Amino acid sequence: LASIAASLLLSACATDSPTAADVAPEPALDGARLAAVLAEQPAERQARYPYRHPQATLEFFAIPPGSTVVEVLPGAGWYSPILAGYLGSEGQLVGVDYPMSIWSNFPFATEEFLAQRKQWVDTWPPTAADWPGDDKATVSASRFDTLGEDMTGTVDAVLFIRALHNLYRFESNGGYLSNALAETHRILKPGGLVGVVQHKAPDDAADAWADGSRGYLKQANVIATFEAAGFELLRQSDINANPADVPGEDDIVWRLPPSYSGSRDDPARKAEVDAIGESNRMTLLFRKPPAA
C-alpha cells in the first residue's frame, strides 16, 4: 500500500509540474529580422553603418521584437526607423526628449529653435509614416519631465545613444541627469534593460575635461553613475570603439564626422578628421534589478 501511495503521489506531482514543452521560451533578439530591417534603410543611413555598427550594437542589447523601447533624444531619428521596423507592429517605440528647460542652456537656442523644440512631441511621431517598412512599432513621444504615471514598470528597455553628455553637462543647472535616471528606473519593468552608446574620453582624462561639455565622458564615471542610481552593469563591449579618436585638450567630439565642426570649409582639415572617422564610443548594458 505504501508503494502504491508513493507512486500515486509521484504521478500527481509529475502532472502538476510543467514540462519543457509547456514552458514558453524567453523572447530573444531576432538577428535575421534586424538584418532585413537594416537592409531596407536608405543609403544615407547605411553609410553610417561602418561607424555605428547597428547590427552588432542591437544584438548586444538583446532586445526582442514586440518590446516597448524608450529612445532618449532621438532627434530627427537615426536609430528610430531601425528600431521601429525591428520591433514590429506588436512593439512600441517612445521617443523621449530632454525637459524643455535644459534647452535654454545652449548658445544656439534661439526663440525660433525653442518654439520648434516645444512642438517636437507632436511633430516627431508623424514622421514615422515615412520610415521604411510596413510592419512598424507604434511611435509616440514625451519628455523626461512629462512621462506619465501609467508608464511605471511598463518599459522593456531604455536606450541612451549619444544622449548622456548634455545631461552630465547641465546636471548642476537642474538635476537633469539624476532626474533622467530616476525616471528611467521608474518606467522600466523589473529586469528591464538600459543600453548606452556614448562618446568615450581617454581613461586618463581629467574629470573636469570629460564633464560632457566636449561630448566625451569617462566610462568608469558612467558606470559609477548608473550603479549609484540603482542599475546593475551586465556587460560592456568595444563594438563601437575607435582607437584613432584620441582627442586633445582643445578638441570637441563635434570636430568629427558627421558634424565636421571647424572643418566643413577646410578640405585639408576635413580629410584629417575623415581619416579618424566617428568618435571612440563605449557600449554598455545595464539592468534594473529583477527584484526592484
Side-chain angles (χ1 to χ4, degrees), residues 189-210:
K189 297 175 181 177
L193 302 173
V194 183
V196 171
V197 178
Q198 178 59 45
H199 313 296
K200 182 181 178 183
D203 292 338
D204 59 356
D207 287 347
W209 184 92

Side-chain angles (χ1 to χ4, degrees), residues 18 25 46 55 68 78 140 146 173 175 190 196 257:
Q46 294 195 38
Q55 179 91 29
T68 297
W78 191 89
S140 60
T146 58
N173 293 8
V196 171

Side-chain angles (χ1 to χ4, degrees), residues 92 139 187 215 267:
Q92 295 186 58
V139 176
I187 65 176

Side-chain angles (χ1 to χ4, degrees), residues 16 18 71 86 89 109 114 158 173 175 180 184 236-237 256 277:
D16 293 339
E71 183 186 4
Y86 170 71
S89 56
L114 293 173
V158 176
N173 293 8
T184 295
Q236 50 194 296
S237 173
L256 299 173

Side-chain angles (χ1 to χ4, degrees), residues 272-283:
E272 291 177 5
V273 296
D274 272 332
I276 296 173
E278 293 196 16
S279 66
N280 183 36
R281 294 166 185 158
M282 67 185 85
T283 306

Side-chain angles (χ1 to χ4, degrees), residues 82-270:
I82 297 169
L83 288 166
Y86 170 71
L87 294 173
S89 56
E90 295 186 4
Q92 295 186 58
L93 176 63
V94 185
V96 172
D97 197 7
Y98 299 152
M100 273 301 302
S101 59
I102 198 175
W103 292 109
S104 60
N105 291 285
F106 293 91
F108 58 76
T110 62
E111 290 299 322
E112 180 182 4
F113 171 87
L114 293 173
Q116 292 175 345
R117 202 73 209 179
K118 190 173 183 179
Q119 298 301 317
W120 179 87
V121 169
D122 298 317
T123 59
W124 184 70
T127 65
D130 297 325
W131 299 348
D134 298 321
D135 180 26
K136 291 179 290 193
T138 301
V139 176
S140 60
S142 187
R143 295 189 179 89
F144 266 123
D145 55 345
T146 58
L147 293 169
E149 290 299 319
D150 59 336
M151 287 190 69
T152 300
T154 64
V155 173
D156 295 294
V158 176
L159 302 182
F160 288 86
I161 300 178
R162 305 182 306 278
L164 283 171
H165 46 278
N166 289 320
L167 295 172
Y168 273 82
R169 178 183 181 184
F170 298 120
E171 167 69 2
S172 61
N173 293 8
Y176 296 110
L177 175 64
S178 54
N179 289 337
L181 295 187
E183 282 296 272
T184 295
H185 196 279
R186 176 179 70 83
I187 65 176
L188 278 172
K189 297 175 181 177
L193 302 173
V194 183
V196 171
V197 178
Q198 178 59 45
H199 313 296
K200 182 181 178 183
D203 292 338
D204 59 356
D207 287 347
W209 184 92
D211 64 353
S213 60
R214 298 177 179 275
Y216 292 99
L217 297 172
K218 295 172 72 171
Q219 180 167 312
N221 291 351
V222 172
I223 293 172
T225 299
F226 273 83
E227 289 181 338
F231 298 96
E232 302 170 340
L233 177 65
L234 293 183
R235 52 184 182 266
Q236 50 194 296
S237 173
D238 291 331
I239 293 167
N240 294 296
N242 177 9
D245 175 25
V246 184
E249 184 176 346
D250 296 327
D251 284 332
I252 58 174
V253 75
W254 301 283
R255 77 194 190 284
L256 299 173
S259 298
Y260 294 107
S261 177
S263 66
R264 283 194 175 274
D265 300 321
D266 183 341
R269 178 58 180 155
K270 188 171 183 291

